[in-house]
Amino acid sequence: MRKTLTGLIAAAMTAALGTFALHAEPLAYPQKVVTLVTHSSPGGGSDVFLRELSKYLGKYIAATFVVENVQGGSGAKAVARVAAAPADGSVFYATTPTYIYTSLLSKPSATYKDLEPLVNMFADSEVIYTRADGPYKTLKDVIDKAKSERGRWGASNPASLERQAAEQLKRAAGVNAAIVTHEGGGDMMLNVLNGTLDIGIGEIQELRSQIEAGKVRLLATFNPQRIPEKPDVPTVKESGYDVSLVKFRGLAGPKGLPDDVTKVWDTAVKAVLEDPEYKKRYTEEVLVANFIPHAEYPAFITNFADTTEAFLKETGAVK
């Protein structure tokens, strides 16, 4: 009885604290307006991520959030825009593996090393998709086409995890499909739907409306395991090709972010990830919460960059 009573009290206190957190005043912040920059075109993965996130951040941080699309150079222009901004908490960049790949595969004016990782929020599933009324029912169908007629595969931009996923799949399957790159996932999806591309590689969040409309068929995921919300979609590895990748999503700012900014974001991001409304939304988008605080995020990014550079050197992409 005593254990039961203790458990009930603990549960009640947890619920009370949760209710308090949801209804507490937004945290004071040194900026009234915060610009969230992405290299994605409207409708692309990072664009969708930021626009959805911005609907909820105001409940936890006392500021207005706006999204700015800075396209060009496979993310190089967006990184340069943020690197040159004041380190006062007014401008941040949506981090994905793209800003690592762009830094390693080209010589941009600013690289990932010129930004300060702020916080990570999600792990994102990469999927292979095709038009629902097309000839491809399985990933094997796509590979067979690539063996006989080469084929055309889409990736969001030249220096993206999607592009590297396509290259790794080509290598694992022993085919030489043409990889057609775009400045954003929205543009690529149009070319999949009109039949210009056999497949595209992207995130479910940018495909959701087309999936619900029955316009797109998911063929496989690069996740190590099947996506819980899409249990019928096999992994690439299950399909016979030894490739597994997961995308990270977070934020970075100019170098030298002050403590009063980073502490607010650490607290607010933990809270927003537990927000019931936002949690419902990002779960529908098949995003998995993966909170990495400011103190740990730089090491995570450095490790990812080092691992990526080693792979690119092994494959001859960089020297």
Side-chain angles (χ1 to χ4, degrees), residues 28-32 62 88-89 258 260-261 264:
Y29 196 68
Q31 304 299 328
K32 292 183 178 180
D88 57 6
D260 64 338
V261 166
V264 167

Side-chain angles (χ1 to χ4, degrees), residues 164-299:
Q164 291 304 313
E167 295 291 351
Q168 290 192 41
L169 179 58
K170 279 175 55 176
R171 187 182 184 189
V175 298
N176 190 32
I179 308 299
V180 184
T181 55
H182 303 70
E183 277 296 334
D187 301 331
M188 176 180 59
M189 182 170 58
L190 291 176
N191 284 328
V192 174
L193 292 174
N194 66 27
T196 302
L197 298 171
D198 300 326
I199 58 170
I201 299 174
E203 301 99 28
I204 288 180
Q205 58 183 314
E206 63 190 10
L207 303 172
R208 190 162 66 88
S209 62
Q210 298 298 329
I211 294 172
E212 292 174 351
K215 301 291 186 182
V216 161
R217 175 184 296 119
L218 301 182
L219 298 179
T221 174
F222 283 97
N223 274 15
Q225 297 85 31
R226 292 196 181 200
I227 302 167
E229 293 78 10
K230 302 289 180 183
D232 295 333
V233 178
T235 67
V236 170
K237 193 167 185 177
E238 283 178 319
S239 302
Y241 312 102
D242 191 12
V243 184
S244 296
L245 295 164
V246 178
K247 190 171 193 172
F248 62 82
R249 287 197 180 279
L251 297 169
K255 284 277 193 179
L257 294 170
D259 288 345
D260 64 338
V261 166
T262 61
K263 288 178 180 178
V264 167
W265 279 95
D266 273 350
T267 302
V269 167
K270 287 181 70 175
V272 77
L273 288 174
E274 291 300 323
D275 184 293
E277 292 181 23
Y278 186 45
K279 197 169 188 176
K280 181 176 184 296
R281 292 295 298 164
Y282 71 68
T283 300
E284 290 173 350
E285 305 291 356
V286 198
L287 291 171
V288 178
N290 183 29
F291 174 67
I292 303 175
H294 177 254
E296 300 171 20
Y297 201 31

